[in-house]
Amino acid sequence: MTDGHQVQQRPLPAAVESRERPVLPTGALRRTSRLALLPLRHAARTAAAASWLSQAASDQIAARTAEQLFATLGELKGGAAKLGQAMSVFEAAMPEEVAAPYRSALRRLTDAAPAMPAEVARQVVAADLAAAYGPGWQERLVAFNDIPAAAASIGQVHRGQWRIDGGQVVQVAVKVQYPGVGQALRSDLRQARLLARVAARLTRLNVSGLADELAGRLAEELDYVREGQVQAQVAAAFADRLPKELAGAHAAGAPEPPGRTNITVPAVYAATPRVLITRWLDGAPLSALLDGRTDLLPEGWRELGPSEAADQAARLLGHAIYAPAACTGWMHADLHPGNFLLLPGGRLGMLDFGAVAAIPGGIPAPFGQLAAAVLAGDGPAAIRLARQVGALGQDAEVDPRLIIELLHPLAATGADTSFTYSRAWLRGLMAHLTQPRFALALRNLTPPPRYALVWRATLSAAGLFAQLGATVPTRGFHLAYSPGFRSSIPPARPQRTDGTLRHAS
């Protein structure tokens, strides 16, 4: 988190009795009507320009539509903004002729203007901390900056100062939930498919499954106590000591790629239902690297060339995504650039643990075994493993050769020592997955609900790697963090890093 404002922090007043009013639009009719107008306005613009439509005019329409879509999602926040943030990861898959205007609008969504006035934020903080710590809570939170440092879909972050046990005062991030956001979320749960249709019309991406999954999980993100507990547990995956879950990989000659201990998860100091207080991190957002804003990069990053910095960021992102899954049973599932900070010393900060996949025991062995079977071209084994993880019904009839061909581009990222991701590769992958000949197989091959977030996180990781255009030791991550892959995978093929799609022979 960074804070460009130099406003002096000051103490909060004692909690006062006041009725908090929602700060977000909460009515289903109002929220739905704002969203429903978007595709109509886009169609009207296109029709009006039909007689003189040029490439420049098309680009202008795309830019104006993107601006309106993501401004609306940002203003509504709640589930609407969540969908927009999730879409930002897949920006690299959009057709290149419209990617640029969408890229700019998507990035701005993560920095949308805060919705909560300072006095409202102070009321929420005072009420929650008074309930948790009693009348002495002000001896803990000794300062609070009225100017928000960041805004998110269900809350906003302020900088503050917290007195920890022993008396030391530390700089903290105070995340405060928007009053009324629960009601807004309930409205968005009912409108998830409408959001998906709007997004599909404007971005050419089918995100209906993503919208359904988001709708089913949003309520979990309202629980800041749960989020604080998860965040504290995830931090253990990046300790200097070797987690016992990785000892087997080391013993088998498959240590994790370098960089696991260069991830920082902020310490949690307090967690109440609507307030989460954590250590403050000074750094630059990952989007600074994605946008080429090298002047914002901290020491340890700005000295690197663009390609080297992208590769380092992707390698650290790989650890951030897969190490917690293997070592703590939690997998971060909200992998948009706003949740990662480039820290001094070439480190990476990891934020926001409201959306996580619970996978006790780590990545299920059949997932890694399935990837290995696909790389080996073993169709019957792939069918058996897909049934075992619940992705394929016991009675579903699918051609094993078609399954291998369908899944091979995904598994191929782990075939060699490293793999180079790119926007062209991701667009090719999306085109491959949507070929008509795979339609029947895809209808039968559906990740079970309990693994939906794992699938989302895996695709989101590929989206981030493609945005970076990075060369990533994907195979090394799978060998270290996926026991099923490690026990089943054939030897690596000669290295090839051009990122092109390859199919099983």
Side-chain angles (χ1 to χ4, degrees):
M1 302 167 196
T2 57
D3 185 1
H5 304 285
Q6 300 301 318
V7 176
Q8 184 176 3
Q9 301 179 60
R10 56 193 177 90
L12 276 78
V16 295
E17 290 294 330
S18 64
R19 186 175 183 274
E20 296 167 359
R21 295 182 177 180
V23 297
L24 307 183
T26 56
L29 179 61
R30 181 181 176 189
R31 296 177 72 83
T32 301
S33 63
R34 293 282 303 279
L35 294 165
L37 285 173
L38 289 169
L40 298 178
R41 289 171 177 164
H42 176 60
R45 289 190 189 120
T46 304
S51 59
W52 51 270
L53 200 60
S54 64
Q55 185 60 52
S58 298
D59 291 346
Q60 185 180 26
I61 288 173
R64 289 179 62 191
T65 303
E67 184 73 33
Q68 187 173 30
L69 169 64
F70 295 107
T72 299
L73 295 180
E75 290 166 10
L76 292 176
K77 299 198 184 297
K82 271 293 174 190
L83 178 62
Q85 289 173 343
M87 286 163 54
S88 71
V89 174
F90 301 104
E91 164 264 311
M94 295 178 186
E96 189 56 37
E97 63 270 19
V98 298
Y102 283 97
R103 191 173 304 145
S104 175
L106 281 161
R107 298 268 168 76
R108 284 199 298 276
L109 176 65
T110 63
D111 299 319
M116 182 163 34
E119 62 271 18
V120 177
R122 285 174 166 266
Q123 289 173 7
V124 174
V125 171
D128 268 37
L129 293 186
Y133 292 96
W137 66 270
Q138 288 177 290
E139 297 177 7
R140 293 279 190 166
L141 186 61
V142 297
F144 183 85
N145 193 329
D146 282 338
I147 298 178
S153 54
I154 65 173
Q156 64 191 34
V157 177
H158 295 253
R159 191 162 186 168
Q161 295 179 352
W162 182 262
R163 180 175 285 109
I164 62 176
D165 294 340
Q168 181 184 1
V169 175
V170 296
Q171 299 295 316
V172 293
V174 184
K175 185 157 74 168
V176 188
Q177 195 171 110
Y178 301 129
V181 71
Q183 186 177 348
L185 283 178
R186 285 190 290 274
S187 173
D188 290 341
L189 296 184
R190 294 189 292 269
Q191 304 304 327
R193 285 201 167 273
L194 172 61
L195 290 171
R197 288 197 297 271
V198 173
R201 182 82 61 87
L202 301 178
T203 65
R204 307 182 193 178
L205 294 178
N206 182 356
V207 293
S208 59
L210 175 61
D212 287 343
E213 182 268 312
L214 282 171
R217 297 282 184 166
L218 278 173
E220 295 179 357
E221 298 193 47
L222 294 172
D223 187 351
Y224 281 5
V225 174
R226 173 183 180 270
E227 180 176 345
Q229 293 170 344
V230 170
Q231 183 166 334
Q233 293 173 26
V234 165
F238 308 111
D240 290 334
R241 60 173 178 75
L242 181 67
K244 67 180 189 316
E245 291 82 4
L246 299 183
H250 279 246
E256 73 274 18
R260 176 180 56 82
T261 59
N262 288 332
I263 308 295
T264 296
V265 175
V268 177
Y269 297 120
T272 70
R274 299 180 300 169
V275 177
L276 182 63
I277 299 177
T278 63
R279 174 188 167 195
W280 180 267
L281 296 183
D282 275 313
L286 179 63
S287 58
L289 183 59
L290 294 172
D291 294 339
R293 293 177 293 171
T294 55
D295 57 309
L296 299 181
L297 301 182
E299 167 270 324
W301 289 98
R302 58 175 173 264
E303 296 86 356
L304 304 176
S307 178
E308 188 180 4
D311 291 352
Q312 178 165 312
R315 187 168 59 252
L316 296 181
L317 283 167
H319 287 294
I321 295 162
Y322 296 114
C327 301
T328 71
W330 296 109
M331 191 172 194
H332 202 302
D334 197 6
L335 302 179
H336 66 81
N339 282 338
F340 297 97
L341 289 177
L342 305 175
L343 305 179
R347 300 179 63 84
L348 184 75
M350 190 177 181
L351 309 172
D352 197 345
F353 296 86
V356 291
I359 44 176
I363 299 172
F367 274 85
Q369 293 166 351
L370 175 59
V374 170
L375 286 178
D378 189 342
I383 294 290
R384 173 178 54 81
L385 289 162
R387 295 192 200 281
Q388 188 174 336
V389 298
L392 185 64
Q394 295 299 320
D395 299 327
E397 294 293 334
V398 181
D399 183 347
R401 293 171 298 180
L402 199 64
I403 289 293
I404 294 296
E405 189 175 356
L406 171 66
L407 297 180
H408 192 268
L410 287 168
T413 60
D416 300 331
T417 304
S418 60
F419 187 86
T420 297
Y421 294 79
S422 67
R423 297 177 184 276
W425 169 83
L426 188 58
R427 289 194 297 271
L429 174 63
M430 295 301 180
H432 169 83
L433 294 175
T434 55
Q435 289 184 46
R437 61 200 180 92
F438 294 136
L440 179 60
L442 281 172
R443 280 197 295 271
N444 287 317
L445 195 66
T446 305
R450 68 183 183 278
Y451 295 133
L453 283 181
V454 176
W455 179 242
R456 170 186 165 190
T458 301
L459 287 180
S460 296
L464 282 176
F465 296 158
Q467 288 185 47
L468 286 163
T471 299
V472 185
T474 310
R475 181 185 179 91
F477 288 129
H478 293 337
L479 288 171
Y481 297 134
S482 174
F485 186 86
R486 185 168 64 245
S487 64
S488 308
I489 191 67
R493 297 182 299 184
Q495 184 172 352
R496 179 176 177 182
T497 61
D498 59 6
T500 54
L501 293 180
R502 288 178 288 181
H503 303 281
S505 57

